[in-house]
Amino acid sequence: MAETNHVILTGTVAGAPEMSHRVYDIDFYRYAISVVRESGTEDLLPCISPQGVVEEGLVQQGRRVTITGQIRSHNSFAEGKSRLKLSVFSSEVGPALTEEDQNDIVLDGYICKKPIYRTTPLKREICDIMLAVNRPYNKSDYIPVLFWGGNARKTSEMDIGTRIFVEGRLQSREYKKKLDDGTQKIMTAYELSATGYQEK
């Protein structure tokens, strides 16, 4: 599992854990962790931990922690529409192992949608792919990945079904969504910004 979907985050717990859901009589709690990039931009990343991890007392607002886990995805239904949501399932939470914030993601998966190549208004090249990462019990997590520059051009030419190994960071991004009544709502998207890849 760790070889196909591995996350290490070091940052600051940004809120008190709240009950998320229960599976097989085990309670799971949701909270956010603040991880600051070298540029100074803050990413607020959603995390989920089982009851036992939370009961250890480390998941407290303002506490610096190191989280080890995997990126998980699920579909959330609201207003009659399905929306992909990401979170970090943290199997281990401990005191911060470094003074610097850390955001290291490794994924091994398959391109499951046609890559989308585009350029920003500042002429930066971007390629969006959807990566399917397998996990036990015939389940998969679907994770949006952004490639930049030369890597964007190369990955845009890959076929559906191509297996790739990706390294990067999980980041949050706010955007405005236009609603049916004409108003706008601020939404948050989560995606992996790739720093490197290898086709397998």
Side-chain angles (χ1 to χ4, degrees):
M1 180 67 182
E3 294 179 354
T4 61
N5 188 337
H6 187 62
V7 175
I8 299 179
L9 300 177
T10 296
T12 304
V13 179
E18 299 179 351
M19 176 69 174
S20 171
H21 61 282
R22 172 175 286 190
V23 178
Y24 299 122
D25 294 326
I26 299 176
D27 293 335
F28 291 83
Y29 289 81
R30 178 179 293 273
Y31 55 96
I33 180 172
S34 168
V35 182
V36 180
R37 307 179 199 175
E38 290 184 0
S39 64
T41 300
E42 178 189 42
D43 291 305
L44 279 175
L45 305 177
C47 298
I48 293 179
S49 292
Q51 181 177 349
V53 170
V54 174
E55 287 175 347
E56 293 176 2
L58 289 170
V59 185
Q60 296 181 15
Q61 186 169 358
R63 181 162 290 186
R64 285 185 54 76
V65 295
T66 292
I67 290 175
T68 303
Q70 305 91 30
I71 299 179
R72 296 283 176 84
S73 70
H74 72 277
N75 285 316
S76 174
F77 292 92
E79 301 173 355
K81 297 180 180 179
S82 176
R83 180 169 174 250
L84 184 70
K85 300 188 75 171
L86 300 184
S87 59
V88 174
F89 179 83
S90 52
S91 54
E92 297 179 20
V93 179
L97 299 178
T98 173
E99 294 182 358
E100 301 294 328
D101 283 6
Q102 183 179 10
N103 188 335
D104 295 327
I105 316 295
V106 175
L107 301 175
D108 183 351
Y110 300 84
I111 296 175
C112 60
K113 289 185 178 180
K114 182 177 174 59
I116 300 173
Y117 176 84
R118 56 193 172 89
T119 56
T120 70
L122 297 177
K123 305 302 181 184
R124 293 193 69 186
E125 297 174 285
I126 303 177
C127 181
D128 299 88
I129 71 166
M130 185 66 72
L131 198 66
V133 179
N134 295 331
R135 57 177 158 116
Y137 308 110
N138 296 318
K139 293 186 178 181
S140 297
D141 293 294
Y142 298 91
I143 302 165
V145 183
L146 298 180
F147 292 89
W148 305 87
N151 286 340
R153 291 194 298 275
K154 293 176 182 177
T155 52
S156 69
E157 298 173 353
M158 291 183 177
D159 297 322
I160 295 174
T162 300
R163 181 183 177 187
I164 58 173
F165 176 90
V166 179
E167 296 176 296
R169 61 175 294 115
L170 184 63
Q171 61 186 30
S172 59
R173 171 179 56 86
E174 288 190 344
Y175 66 97
K176 294 180 180 179
K177 180 180 179 181
K178 188 174 182 180
L179 303 179
D180 293 338
D181 62 4
T183 61
Q184 291 186 333
K185 181 180 180 180
I186 301 296
M187 306 286 287
T188 303
Y190 302 96
E191 57 215 357
L192 183 78
S193 180
T195 56
Y197 80 96
Q198 180 180 354
E199 188 172 350
K200 304 189 76 172

